[in-house]
Amino acid sequence: MYTRPSIPLLTGALLVVITAFIGGAISGGEMASRLGNDAKAAAAALNAPTIQARFTTLGGWPTRHPLLSGGQDLSEEKRAKAAMAIASIPGVGGIRWIDGSIMAQRDIAPLTPMHCQDDVRALLRARTVRFEESSTEFDPNSLELLDEVSAALRPCLGSIIAITGHTDSSGPEPGNIELSLSRAQAVNQALIRRGIPADGLRARGVGSSMPVEGLDPADPANRRIEFSVIATVPLAPTPVDTPGPR
Amino acid sequence: MPIWFELMILLLITYAFGLALGWLMWSAAGADDKGMKS
């Protein structure tokens, strides 16, 4: 006898759903209350007994995904630790706070300061942008360094980046200032060619007036290029970005 | 997500695998050719 295959298939699926429902009803409540006790113990162990973990859904069904609440009197760090402790109980699924945040944070995360200047400084600690003597031509090894510097500056796009050229004290000072400025401008152009917008770059030359601390002004190590992130320009939308109603 | 719902997803996946495996074995055994189909 042939029956349409869809009928037994759907009957099987329905049986599966019913089995799951009955199985969940039998073991779900017990499982949720065990997880609830474990969560309470975990919170108490971290001196955060005010944190409540609710192992029921909004519809009242037992669940493995607790909704955390309370603990307003505690620091964010303590809340985060308690949340992690509850999340790491075997059997607990994802956790979330009652205010909707997934982890412990309630407030907007503090803005991390831009660290591109530190990155650039770290790059230039051991190496430096070098030039041919009395020239604005880059030393071939410096081109690779410039690639790395432009990559390190990329997260700070929108900021004003100052490029300062320095020389040693050999040679007359007016010439030194001119040379340091043209070297800074050469670096400026090199960065523009590597995709850093020109309007965020400022080149200046100070000649030999600012030698490296602790170095003799005549030391060739004073010939260098320094980068500093001097200002952050907030991005404001232009009228083109925000069309008005038609 | 309620526990019974998670259980249902798990069981439905098992059911689907069982069906697929059963169908594969059935067709590999050549039951199709022996007139077991209408």
Side-chain angles (χ1 to χ4, degrees), chain A residues 9 12-13 16 20-21 28 61-65, chain B residues 1-4 6-8 11-12 15 19 38:
Chain A
L9 283 182
V16 163
F21 193 78
W61 299 102
T63 178
R64 300 187 306 115
H65 305 264
Chain B
M1 196 187 286
I3 288 175
W4 73 263
E6 288 187 87
L7 197 61
M8 183 189 77
L11 288 178
L12 276 178
Y15 176 63
L19 280 181
S38 65

Side-chain angles (χ1 to χ4, degrees), chain A residues 100-152:
Chain A
S101 53
I102 303 289
M103 287 308 286
Q105 247 91 38
R106 274 175 310 145
D107 305 319
I108 298 167
L111 287 172
T112 47
M114 284 194 280
H115 47 74
C116 354
Q117 185 163 355
D118 293 337
D119 291 350
V120 173
R121 200 171 286 157
L123 278 175
L124 297 177
R125 195 163 292 148
R127 296 172 293 170
T128 180
V129 181
R130 289 194 184 284
F131 295 87
E132 306 290 341
E133 201 176 343
S134 302
S135 139
T136 56
E137 292 292 312
F138 291 110
D139 179 289
N141 295 329
S142 294
L143 294 171
E144 197 183 316
L145 180 60
L146 279 171
D147 288 337
E148 291 174 34
V149 167
S150 68

